[in-house]
Amino acid sequence: MEDIQNQFVKILSDSLKEEKPSIYTDIKWEEVLELISKYKVEGIVYENILSNDLATVVSQETVNILKGRVNQIKEEQKRNIENLDNVVKEFNKEEIEFILLGSLATKELYNSSEMREVNNIELLIQEDDVDNTKILLNKLKYKILEENRDEYKVTFIDDNEDKLIIYYHLCNKDDENKELIIYERTVWKRAIKLNLGDSEVLVLNSEDLALRLCINIAHHIKNGTNDFRELCDLAMLIESKRDLVNWDSFLMKAGMYGAEKVSLIIFILCEKLFNVAIPKDFEVRKVNNKKYIEALTNEIFNDSFNKEAIESQEEIAAMLYSKQEIDSKENIIISYIIKIVNKIKEWINELNAPVTREKLLEWMEL
């Protein structure tokens, strides 16, 4: 990571844990603010500035920029909660069961709701209710924006361009995997109640939420649409719900989705970025590859993977000998040196080979 990225991560990590960071006195705020805005975590940082009375350290201009964005977050949350209340009333009339997903559910992990930006409504329903849901939402002036059968979801949009995403499975799955089918059924039995606005809704329990966050984060990494907010959600869940989650069960379910390795890697990433302790029951030694974790961190920031390539054997030889000497096939010493250089080059390349995106995704089993 670059220096500015390190500053951004340090500020974000301390803000999540509500710790007063000394780094605030030395950072380049203008550049860090660009990252704070890019990854939409203004609410997290602003809350920490207020709670730790850092207004004398951080410029008033910076505080005002963050405060303005937090006010927008409050308005977006209010509007989405009102929209949710309207949908819930109609769902209850039609006896359509649902589980609230997404940022409206995860914002409850934070000490202040404004710390988590809410950008849409996400609901999980039973597959048998999809057609009735489309009719109901049409009555509420929602139009279908996109239907993705491969991802088991339908995205709706209203006249204010607010999105509502309906899922009828938690994620892509193998229809022949009976364990997954049973798991998705039991998710409904384990769901817990949450009061939100004027409604009481069901949300995933901590174990199922952790799994969904890992799968979502992996999906974003694979598609190059990396989202720091869900990494923050997972970090907050680990910190606040650690003792409430059966982590052995979590790993078993992650294995059903073929996501056990990538889930462990994402937990390592959270530890690296946010200094969040990995659950003690996790065996991460075999997947904790420093080289690949560094590459993954760079991918999160959309940095280039490629490092400087080592000079070719021809370039090295050209530094030592004239072209005439190199071209002479009878020069045994030069031929021998070139072979040695080639072996050294192969060894160094193997040790320092750049981790391409393709290699990274292969290592993560994505």
Side-chain angles (χ1 to χ4, degrees):
M1 288 189 294
E2 297 176 357
D3 183 50
I4 297 300
Q5 293 167 347
N6 274 313
Q7 290 181 5
F8 163 72
V9 167
K10 174 63 176 171
I11 290 169
L12 186 56
S13 174
D14 291 337
S15 296
L16 286 171
K17 290 175 286 188
E18 298 186 312
E19 296 176 355
K20 186 173 183 177
S22 59
I23 195 172
Y24 273 104
T25 59
D26 306 313
I27 69 166
K28 300 176 182 177
W29 269 106
E30 185 175 341
E31 295 175 66
V32 172
L33 267 174
E34 291 181 9
L35 291 180
I36 291 173
S37 176
K38 176 181 178 180
Y39 296 111
K40 301 184 185 301
V41 292
E42 298 98 330
I44 296 173
V45 177
Y46 180 71
E47 180 67 20
N48 200 35
I49 290 174
L50 290 186
S51 60
N52 284 300
D53 193 24
L54 297 172
T56 57
V57 178
V58 182
S59 72
Q60 190 60 49
E61 181 183 4
T62 296
V63 173
N64 289 339
I65 290 172
L66 293 173
K67 182 179 180 180
R69 179 62 191 127
V70 168
N71 287 335
Q72 289 180 348
I73 291 173
K74 289 180 180 178
E75 290 301 315
E76 291 165 3
Q77 283 192 8
K78 181 180 177 182
R79 189 173 67 251
N80 275 286
I81 291 174
E82 288 175 354
N83 290 343
L84 176 64
D85 285 336
N86 293 332
V87 171
V88 169
K89 289 175 184 176
E90 297 303 317
F91 272 38
N92 289 339
K93 288 179 184 177
E94 299 297 325
E95 298 184 345
I96 296 176
E97 292 184 304
F98 68 91
I99 293 176
L100 178 67
L101 305 173
S103 51
L104 271 177
T106 58
K107 80 183 188 70
E108 298 303 312
L109 295 170
Y110 299 84
N111 292 325
S112 172
S113 62
E114 289 80 18
M115 292 173 71
R116 180 55 162 102
E117 184 192 49
V118 173
N119 43 358
N120 52 47
I121 300 171
E122 298 180 41
L123 304 176
L124 172 68
I125 65 171
Q126 302 283 359
E127 188 170 6
D128 292 342
D129 289 325
V130 171
D131 290 338
N132 287 339
T133 297
K134 290 179 181 179
I135 295 171
L136 184 152
L137 291 177
N138 182 257
K139 291 179 180 178
L140 291 175
K141 307 302 181 184
Y142 281 94
K143 298 177 182 177
I144 294 179
L145 180 65
E146 179 187 15
E147 185 163 2
N148 190 328
R149 296 181 183 275
D150 291 332
E151 295 185 359
Y152 303 99
K153 68 178 183 180
V154 186
T155 301
F156 296 83
I157 193 167
D158 66 9
D159 293 337
N160 294 319
E161 297 189 354
D162 290 327
K163 289 183 181 178
L164 191 161
I165 303 174
I166 297 293
Y167 293 88
Y168 44 100
H169 287 298
L170 281 173
C171 70
N172 298 357
K173 65 183 184 63
D174 182 351
D175 290 332
E176 296 180 0
N177 189 329
K178 294 181 180 179
E179 288 82 3
L180 273 181
I181 294 172
I182 294 172
Y183 165 66
E184 289 210 348
R185 288 174 182 167
T186 57
V187 159
W188 293 85
K189 297 178 181 179
R190 291 192 299 272
I192 57 179
K193 293 180 180 179
L194 173 70
N195 290 317
L196 195 62
D198 295 329
S199 303
E200 182 181 75
V201 296
L202 290 178
V203 296
L204 297 175
N205 75 353
S206 299
E207 182 183 325
D208 293 323
L209 177 56
L211 177 56
R212 177 159 179 82
L213 285 172
C214 283
I215 292 174
N216 281 356
I217 293 166
H219 180 79
H220 285 307
I221 291 171
K222 183 177 180 180
N223 292 308
T225 55
N226 306 317
D227 189 338
F228 252 96
R229 293 167 299 181
E230 289 193 314
L231 279 168
C232 292
D233 292 344
L234 183 60
M236 292 300 293
L237 186 150
I238 297 169
E239 286 288 275
S240 61
K241 310 291 185 181
R242 181 188 307 275
D243 297 334
L244 302 177
V245 176
N246 183 332
W247 294 111
D248 286 335
S249 178
F250 165 85
L251 287 178
M252 180 190 70
K253 291 166 184 172
M256 292 179 190
Y257 280 104
E260 181 176 355
K261 182 179 181 181
V262 73
S263 294
L264 291 175
I265 290 169
I266 289 169
F267 271 75
I268 295 170
L269 182 63
C270 278
E271 180 186 48
K272 176 180 173 61
L273 293 175
F274 305 129
N275 196 27
V276 174
I278 297 173
K280 61 182 180 180
D281 298 330
F282 283 9
E283 177 52 63
V284 298
R285 182 175 55 86
K286 292 181 180 179
V287 297
N288 196 0
N289 184 310
K290 182 178 179 181
K291 177 178 174 180
Y292 278 87
I293 295 297
E294 289 289 343
L296 177 57
T297 304
N298 289 336
E299 169 65 7
I300 292 295
F301 281 108
N302 297 315
D303 285 344
S304 171
F305 276 29
N306 297 323
K307 302 174 183 177
E308 290 184 13
I310 185 171
E311 294 91 344
S312 67
Q313 64 176 33
E314 291 81 9
E315 290 172 326
I316 294 173
M319 296 178 200
L320 302 174
Y321 303 99
S322 69
K323 185 177 185 302
Q324 184 178 2
E325 288 175 316
I326 293 171
D327 290 341
S328 174
K329 296 180 180 179
E330 297 177 358
N331 194 323
I332 299 174
I333 294 177
I334 291 179
S335 298
Y336 174 76
I337 289 175
I338 288 177
K339 286 181 180 178
I340 294 298
V341 168
N342 188 45
K343 286 184 179 179
I344 293 173
K345 171 178 172 286
E346 289 177 358
W347 177 73
I348 293 176
N349 277 345
E350 184 178 345
L351 196 65
N352 297 317
V355 179
T356 63
R357 176 172 174 79
E358 181 181 10
K359 286 183 180 179
L360 177 67
L361 297 182
E362 181 182 347
W363 173 70
M364 296 180 73
E365 298 181 353
L366 291 177

